[in-house]
Amino acid sequence: MEKPAYKILLAEDDEAMRVYLERALKNAGYGVDAVDRGTEAIPLLEQNAYDLLLSDIVMPEMDGIELAQRCNEISPDTKVMFITGFAAVTLKASREQPQAKVLSKPFHLRDLVLEVERVLEDRISARI
């Protein structure tokens, strides 16, 4: 079987949303590791190379912004994209991680996959 072109680390504390997003991304051809909190994502970032960290912002133990900051230290080549249902949190994320894309819930799965593709394509063009 063909190896997925991109690896995505998904951090989302809502189980139904996590399963839903993981399935959509896998169906789109991505390799996905999914965790339910930021603290679980850190060891994975240390052990694996990810093209994208897709993280909810509001999570227990460690929020998505803190996770993104740790991701920038551990794996500076990993792109960051946030998902959130809170408008005020979107503003904070934009201030703290200006290079990260923020996708507000609710969103259509097709929009998520298109945004992920766009973020990853930017990564390719940045390398050329």
Side-chain angles (χ1 to χ4, degrees):
M1 182 151 163
E2 197 179 314
K3 193 171 180 288
Y6 289 111
K7 277 202 74 158
I8 297 173
L9 178 56
L10 170 64
E12 166 63 71
D13 61 321
D14 180 297
E15 186 180 359
M17 177 65 91
R18 188 174 62 253
V19 169
Y20 182 68
L21 296 175
E22 183 178 9
R23 187 176 307 134
L25 292 165
K26 284 183 174 174
N27 288 344
Y30 297 109
V32 182
D33 289 335
V35 295
D36 67 357
R37 57 181 51 104
T39 48
E40 273 187 39
I42 299 297
L44 291 174
L45 283 167
E46 291 170 341
Q47 295 158 14
N48 304 290
Y50 291 98
D51 297 292
L52 178 67
L53 167 64
L54 180 59
S55 177
D56 190 2
I57 296 176
V58 180
M59 292 186 293
E61 294 177 23
M62 174 187 284
D63 70 16
I65 293 169
E66 190 180 340
L67 174 58
Q69 288 163 341
R70 290 294 309 278
C71 177
N72 292 343
E73 293 163 14
I74 297 165
S75 178
D77 288 339
T78 302
K79 289 272 193 181
V80 176
M81 188 170 154
F82 293 122
I83 41 181
T84 185
F86 302 95
V89 173
T90 301
L91 294 172
K92 181 175 193 278
S94 298
R95 265 198 316 274
E96 308 243 348
Q97 292 284 317
Q99 75 285 10
K101 173 75 186 156
V102 181
L103 198 60
S104 295
K105 298 175 191 171
F107 50 80
H108 195 281
L109 281 181
R110 186 179 60 235
D111 296 332
L112 169 74
V113 171
L114 286 171
E115 284 301 333
V116 165
E117 280 173 17
R118 198 170 293 137
V119 167
L120 291 170
E121 290 303 314
D122 279 356
R123 184 193 164 130
I124 293 171
S125 57
R127 283 188 182 156
I128 295 170

